[in-house]
Amino acid sequence: MDRLECTKNVIEAKRKKGLTYQEIADIIGRDIVWTTSALLGQNTLDKNEAQKVAALLELSKEDEEALQVFPAKGATAIMPPTDPLIYRLYEIVLVYGDTLKEVIHEKAGDGIMSAIDFTMKVDKIENPAGDRIKITLDGKFLPYKKW
């Protein structure tokens, strides 16, 4: 089964069941951000996780198997993004990317932040002036090696 088709099936089944990503994450014992990413085709569920999700969402055996396939990460992204929320995140990187790079280099040296050894957290902060969203990106620093 095509992974994009599986993702559509997952989203539709989740909607029909009235489940949240947090509820699904709790069932498989993973974080909401990682679980959502996996269900959207950007990470891979192991067999046990895929079986639990398939049973919960009443997905086909083909969907269950597709959830276990290693993804082509980022392959479906439209650049530049057209979704307003995703575009704003892209805009943040466009405006502050060089700044982040310079500050990371100044604090940690010449290297990069890993997207492999990585976690992310999304929080809603209630505020009388308008609720805020706090995104925490936590990636291992990988220095460039000399040889």
Side-chain angles (χ1 to χ4, degrees), residues 46-89:
D46 66 27
K47 185 174 183 160
N48 183 49
E49 294 163 341
Q51 287 174 340
K52 287 179 182 178
V53 168
L56 176 68
L57 297 178
E58 298 177 13
L59 298 171
S60 70
K61 188 70 172 169
E62 291 80 16
D63 285 315
E64 180 183 319
E65 291 169 358
L67 290 168
Q68 298 172 68
V69 173
F70 298 137
K73 295 178 185 263
T76 60
I78 298 168
M79 294 306 279
T82 56
D83 178 86
L85 191 145
I86 297 170
Y87 181 80
R88 292 298 172 240
L89 294 170

Side-chain angles (χ1 to χ4, degrees), residues 100-139:
L100 288 167
K101 181 181 185 295
E102 289 297 319
V103 171
I104 289 168
H105 286 175
E106 188 170 289
K107 290 180 179 257
D110 187 18
I112 60 171
M113 183 177 81
S114 174
I116 296 170
D117 188 345
F118 175 86
T119 59
M120 179 173 27
K121 187 172 180 186
V122 179
D123 293 300
K124 176 184 172 191
I125 312 294
E126 294 190 13
N127 186 314
D131 292 345
R132 317 265 312 164
I133 297 296
K134 179 180 179 182
I135 301 172
T136 304
L137 308 174
D138 183 347

